[in-house]
Amino acid sequence: MTQDAIPALPDYNDSALDQAFAALAKQATDEAAAIGSPDDLEAFRLRWVGRKQGRLNDVSARWLKAAPSEAKKSVGERFKSLKELIEGLLDKAAGTGPSHAALAAEAIDITLPGTRHLTGAEHPITRTLNEIVSVFAALGYSVGIGPEVETDFYNFESMNFPPGHPARDTQDTLVIASQERRPLRDRLLLRTHTSPVQMRTMEQQPPPIRIVIPGKVHRNDAMDATHSPIFHQVEGLCVDTNITFSDLKGTLDHAMKALFGSSVKTRFFPSFFPFTEPSADVQISCIFCGGKGCRKCKHSGWIELLGCGMVDPAVFAFAQEKQPAYDPKKISGFAFGMGVERIAMMKYGISEIGQLYAGDMRFLNQFA
Ligand code: DAH
């Protein structure tokens, strides 16, 4: 800026003044033409009309104020025109905004594809679990959850598995260590099924109840193609006056048709669970061969899918300790429990349960 400072005028005659002012006018015009951004514009403004170091100030001080009195008028006129010129240049540059070149530099090509954000997708277990829950939600069931670390009381005793009962051996249990000094019923374990939430729900509210309980369960089972030590279940419980086995059959028949298609048939086989009496295993007609018999259904035409039964009066007796309204002489109910992985594997034709937990994107992408 210093070598660019306004020099003292050599002479005050008209031609010297014309020459000096014309040089400045050309300089300002050239610089204004090169303005390409808001920053350039501000720099131009400061350089020419800035209050402290603006060139017009210098011109005023060095040329106008220093002029001999007889030259004041001619310098003043030229100074005024230069000032007007520069103000005009400023207005023009501000009004037209950034130059075409600056705009072009910042432009985006809207024909290019945008930044792609990968959207997540529900895991097939979550999807199946939600689907099961919504089939029952449509029937008026609400949804409940319970703890995964459970007491022996809720997981077993209140579900009518007394201490030492052989039925406990059907669910090889992972227990929390170092609790030998606690009474058995208070000892903690990883719940082996979602059934304990039946009792937790009944303790919290009197009948009627219609609830489904999705959740994770744990068993000390070795992993193979169809078993995993951690898996998911959806439990169901319906308690009211005059609930019968027909209600159970109708409800589960509807649910299986909703999940697997309306041509699916169900049949109920006698079974045993400590917390239901009578108990049944529900089989559906094979969705792979339509019931004709194939490798998947071991040529029987039927596939076993879930357990169910009428709530055992002994279970109601435990509920009555907190909610007297669960009087087995006045109310009745049914319960059911199904494995989510098993249903997901059937619906999506998955032959290895481990695929559901491996996190392999080539597998998971098929569900996106
Ligand atoms: N809790 C059982 C299991 O994990 C499944 C089950 C069977 C649940 C019958 C029920 C039922 O509610 O009524 O093997």
Side-chain angles (χ1 to χ4, degrees):
M1 189 67 94
T2 33
Q3 73 264 62
D4 201 24
I6 304 295
L9 274 182
D11 204 330
Y12 282 89
N13 65 43
D14 277 355
S15 82
L17 287 179
D18 281 344
Q19 221 186 339
F21 275 99
L24 286 183
K26 181 177 185 313
Q27 213 179 13
T29 310
D30 289 350
E31 286 177 25
I35 291 175
S37 69
D39 285 350
D40 291 351
L41 177 62
E42 178 60 8
F44 178 84
R45 193 185 65 74
L46 284 174
R47 173 162 154 79
W48 289 95
V49 299
R51 273 225 223 126
K52 283 196 182 138
Q53 281 150 359
R55 310 199 89 207
L56 278 184
N57 264 354
D58 284 359
V59 174
S60 162
R62 300 198 162 205
W63 293 358
L64 188 58
K65 293 210 180 96
S69 50
E70 68 275 11
K72 279 252 194 301
K73 188 169 174 237
S74 44
V75 178
E77 279 164 358
R78 287 175 174 82
F79 179 78
K80 190 164 168 263
S81 337
L82 177 65
K83 192 170 176 224
E84 281 166 6
L85 171 82
I86 290 171
E87 281 167 354
L89 290 170
L90 262 172
D91 283 351
K92 201 168 146 229
T96 51
S99 71
H100 181 75
L103 275 181
E106 285 184 21
I108 52 163
D109 181 352
I110 60 166
T111 65
L112 288 172
T115 312
R116 185 172 292 220
H117 295 284
L118 293 177
T119 40
E122 270 179 347
H123 188 278
I125 293 177
T126 312
R127 198 200 281 192
T128 307
L129 194 144
N130 287 341
E131 200 177 331
I132 298 167
V133 166
S134 56
V135 165
F136 288 95
L139 295 176
Y141 282 65
S142 51
V143 184
I145 51 164
E148 276 177 54
V149 178
E150 190 50 284
T151 60
D152 186 277
F153 175 76
Y154 285 112
N155 196 80
F156 289 127
E157 195 177 338
S158 73
M159 287 290 107
N160 201 28
F161 295 75
H165 194 281
R168 289 184 173 223
D169 296 347
T170 62
Q171 302 188 358
D172 196 351
T173 309
L174 294 157
V175 300
I176 308 285
S178 311
Q179 299 186 91
E180 291 73 15
R181 276 186 289 145
R182 287 188 170 185
L184 178 65
R185 56 159 53 194
D186 296 337
R187 291 185 202 164
L188 297 171
L189 45 80
L190 298 181
R191 69 176 177 194
T192 55
H193 53 175
T194 42
S195 303
V197 193
Q198 289 186 29
M199 186 55 60
R200 289 184 173 275
T201 309
M202 287 191 281
E203 285 183 351
Q204 294 300 314
Q205 58 189 89
I209 277 190
R210 281 168 181 76
I211 194 164
V212 277
I213 302 136
K216 202 178 277 175
V217 302
H218 306 251
R219 290 188 194 176
N220 186 23
D221 288 342
M223 183 115 183
D224 66 19
T226 55
H227 293 85
S228 158
I230 306 175
F231 59 105
H232 299 77
Q233 291 185 333
V234 176
E235 189 82 14
L237 176 67
C238 167
V239 184
D240 206 336
T241 49
N242 301 315
I243 298 293
T244 67
F245 200 89
S246 303
D247 297 316
L248 170 58
K249 285 187 77 172
T251 302
L252 290 182
D253 185 69
H254 164 81
M256 293 304 115
K257 287 179 163 65
L259 288 172
F260 292 103
S262 56
S263 59
V264 151
K265 294 190 191 70
T266 53
R267 68 178 188 181
F268 290 68
F269 251 57
S271 184
F272 174 78
F273 299 99
F275 40 91
T276 45
E277 182 59 35
S279 304
D281 284 328
V282 183
Q283 302 178 350
I284 64 168
S285 53
C286 180
I287 58 166
F288 302 106
C289 64
K292 285 194 212 75
C294 66
R295 226 163 52 91
K296 293 262 173 60
C297 59
K298 300 195 186 91
H299 302 282
S300 70
W302 295 91
I303 291 179
E304 200 174 294
L305 214 54
L306 68 147
C308 66
M310 301 306 291
V311 178
D312 195 296
V315 172
F316 284 139
F318 279 106
Q320 273 190 293
E321 290 175 16
K322 296 250 166 79
Q323 293 281 355
Y326 287 98
D327 180 350
K329 290 195 198 72
K330 298 196 179 123
I331 48 100
S332 55
F334 63 75
F336 54 86
M338 56 189 97
V340 178
E341 280 80 351
R342 189 161 157 68
I343 292 175
M345 288 168 77
M346 286 190 55
K347 281 179 75 82
Y348 301 118
I350 300 164
S351 52
E352 287 265 344
I353 198 170
Q355 302 246 256
L356 291 168
Y357 311 116
D360 185 333
M361 291 304 286
R362 292 168 300 180
F363 171 78
L364 294 173
N365 273 330
Q366 299 176 87
F367 301 91

